[in-house]
Amino acid sequence: MALQRKIIHIDMDAFFAAVEQRDCTDYQGRPLIVGGAPNSRGVVSTCSYEARRYGIRSAMPASHAYRLCPHAIFVRPRFEVYRQVSNDIRTIFADYSERVEPCSLDEAYLDVSAVQRSCGSATRIAQEIKQRIRRVTGLTASAGVSYNKFLAKIASDMDKPDGLYVITPEQGPGFAARLPVGRFHGIGKATEAKMHALGLKTGADLKRCSVEFLTTHFGKAGRYYYDIARGNDDRPVRGTRVSRSVGAEKTLQEDIEDKELMVRHLQDLLHDVMDRVNAKRLVVRTLAIKVKYADFELVTRSKTVAMPLRMSRETLAMLSELLDKTEAGERKIRLLGVTLSSLSESENAEGPRQLELF
Ligand code: TTP
Ligand code: MG
């Protein structure tokens, strides 16, 4: 039998609305709708939990939402801010697993089967990730922990907001059996209606059907329904391996003590690694230098900044700043290195940021 996997699904709570409430105290604790204006033909992207009490939901016409709650606040989405937060949470995920599959700006699956951290406990890892998300972004996320993607996603929705819900291998089949078919991943409104017409309302009803019956009525998806009704789902987490850092180093032809020369070497190295980072359409927030003294002792110094680093005067100045935190100059140097980390995907889908000329 294949080894049991450990999958975490993370989903931010009322994502766009929570960001708006974070950034404007006036919005806090109030029904807030992100999307089209109340008198427009637009729709609700999402709304705060306060607005959900009035029955307002994503994709509802804005005019309908207005009728349900005329005193709600309507705001336009600020996608660049949401993308920034999305990058931040993806950077956190990358710290916990190399197998991370983002499915939207606010949602991702992590396969943590091989992760040793936190004693290998997926629940502890999920807790830590939630805490870090809150610390870094000021927002809450809900986590679902289970042994496959289907159940992990269901679990993240069970205890929202700020939830953490675990579905164990023992609970999985019972859980799937009790679930209304409309809650199954991949079963949309049309399929749900077709299932209801066949008398199939829950996972337990689906479980009574043979594979042949399900494939006759639902084609290829029939096999998938057969499996998920039993709590089985072997879809892998399709992680794009994002390397955690990009670096370059240079062993000098002879040991040097001239600090200006060291800075020039560091600048060359920085150009080189920044090009590689840009080519991968990644942005970076941490710059580190590595200094090996003539006696082979090695030290590193690093700085993390809020905004992505660019090839600017400020970034170049950071090299001297970091070098000043070493004994370079007083002691001779035999090797220099530059490493960029805290990598995340570029917010700019068209490609890397324009290099700043100087
Ligand atoms: P969701 O995770 O589906 O919703 P949510 O984060 O707002 O709320 P929940 O606590 O239930 O997870 O979607 C994430 C974001 O995607 C959401 O904040 C806004 C956007 N979105 C739309 O623009 N239109 C939609 O129809 C949906 C469902 C989401
Ligand atoms: Mg969400």
Side-chain angles (χ1 to χ4, degrees):
M1 195 185 103
L3 272 180
Q4 191 83 258
R5 291 182 297 157
K6 296 179 194 172
I7 312 287
I8 301 176
H9 180 255
I10 305 269
D11 188 305
M12 301 295 287
D13 302 319
F15 184 43
F16 294 2
V19 172
E20 298 306 328
Q21 288 185 319
R22 176 194 72 178
D23 293 348
C24 178
T25 43
D26 276 359
Y27 299 162
Q28 289 166 13
R30 297 176 61 183
L32 179 82
I33 291 165
V34 182
N39 54 357
S40 72
R41 283 147 41 93
V43 294
V44 174
S45 286
T46 192
C47 59
S48 64
Y49 278 77
E50 293 84 357
R52 292 182 194 196
R53 286 193 211 113
Y54 294 85
I56 300 170
R57 296 287 178 267
S58 288
M60 176 181 277
S63 53
H64 185 185
Y66 178 74
R67 281 197 300 279
L68 290 173
C69 182
H71 65 283
I73 304 164
F74 285 77
V75 296
R76 295 234 161 257
R78 294 182 301 152
F79 288 103
E80 62 304 339
V81 185
Y82 312 145
R83 270 195 291 270
Q84 176 69 57
V85 176
S86 185
N87 272 335
D88 288 342
I89 63 173
R90 285 181 194 179
T91 305
I92 294 171
F93 299 154
D95 246 5
Y96 288 85
S97 173
E98 286 181 342
R99 308 266 302 273
V100 179
E101 180 180 335
C103 353
S104 72
L105 282 181
D106 87 324
E107 202 186 328
Y109 291 102
L110 283 76
D111 186 326
V112 294
S113 313
V115 177
Q116 299 295 320
R117 208 159 157 161
S118 303
C119 311
S121 156
T123 310
R124 292 260 295 277
I125 294 170
Q127 239 157 9
E128 255 187 62
I129 292 176
K130 273 165 53 74
Q131 281 163 2
R132 276 189 63 189
I133 290 178
R134 190 191 272 260
R135 238 191 354 258
V136 172
T137 69
L139 301 166
T140 62
S142 294
V145 179
S146 197
Y147 55 98
N148 61 41
K149 285 166 82 171
F150 155 60
L151 290 169
K153 185 166 168 80
I154 298 283
S156 72
D157 219 22
M158 291 300 296
D159 195 21
K160 262 183 175 293
D162 199 15
L164 173 60
Y165 197 92
V166 182
I167 300 179
T168 64
E170 293 70 38
Q171 296 164 331
F175 218 93
R178 286 190 297 277
L179 220 56
V181 291
R183 290 282 306 279
F184 282 81
H185 180 76
I187 298 187
K189 285 270 169 264
T191 310
E192 183 185 15
K194 194 168 164 188
M195 286 187 176
H196 284 181
L198 290 164
L200 308 172
K201 292 255 160 60
T202 64
D205 297 334
L206 276 180
K207 211 168 154 182
R208 279 190 283 273
C209 304
S210 65
V211 189
E212 294 72 29
F213 176 87
L214 291 172
T215 44
T216 305
H217 286 89
F218 303 102
K220 266 209 204 126
R223 171 82 228 182
Y224 171 69
Y225 301 150
Y226 181 86
D227 287 335
I228 56 172
R230 288 159 178 75
N232 299 332
D233 173 17
D234 58 11
R235 287 172 302 155
V237 172
R238 296 193 186 282
T240 46
R241 276 168 180 264
V242 177
S243 53
R244 292 186 184 184
S245 65
V246 180
E249 58 183 44
K250 191 194 271 182
T251 300
L252 306 163
Q253 281 185 344
E254 53 186 354
D255 298 349
I256 57 169
E257 55 188 347
D258 176 355
K259 275 182 97 174
E260 276 181 29
L261 185 57
M262 291 176 201
V263 171
R264 281 206 296 280
H265 280 302
L266 287 173
Q267 288 181 350
D268 289 346
L269 289 165
L270 179 63
H271 270 289
D272 177 27
V273 283
M274 201 59 113
D275 281 349
R276 278 154 56 199
V277 162
N278 284 336
K280 290 185 177 180
R281 301 191 168 202
L282 297 170
V283 294
V284 295
R285 292 204 177 77
T286 300
L287 170 64
I289 64 163
K290 186 196 272 187
V291 170
K292 194 184 265 179
Y293 300 116
D295 63 3
F296 286 86
E297 190 195 343
L298 184 72
V299 293
T300 58
R301 297 286 181 267
S302 70
K303 184 168 178 178
T304 301
V305 293
M307 293 304 290
L309 287 166
R310 297 198 280 167
M311 223 33 224
S312 62
R313 271 186 220 289
E314 291 77 26
T315 307
L316 289 176
M318 280 169 66
L319 291 173
S320 312
E321 246 178 70
L322 292 171
L323 195 64
D324 286 342
K325 292 185 179 160
T326 71
E327 294 170 64
E330 296 144 48
R331 291 170 70 178
K332 286 190 170 183
I333 300 301
R334 61 171 289 120
L335 172 146
L336 287 164
V338 169
T339 303
L340 297 172
S341 57
S342 304
L343 303 172
S344 52
E345 279 163 40
S346 170
E347 298 141 44
N348 179 353
E350 289 86 59
R353 284 160 179 275
Q354 196 69 37
L355 288 189
E356 204 167 88
L357 295 173
F358 54 92

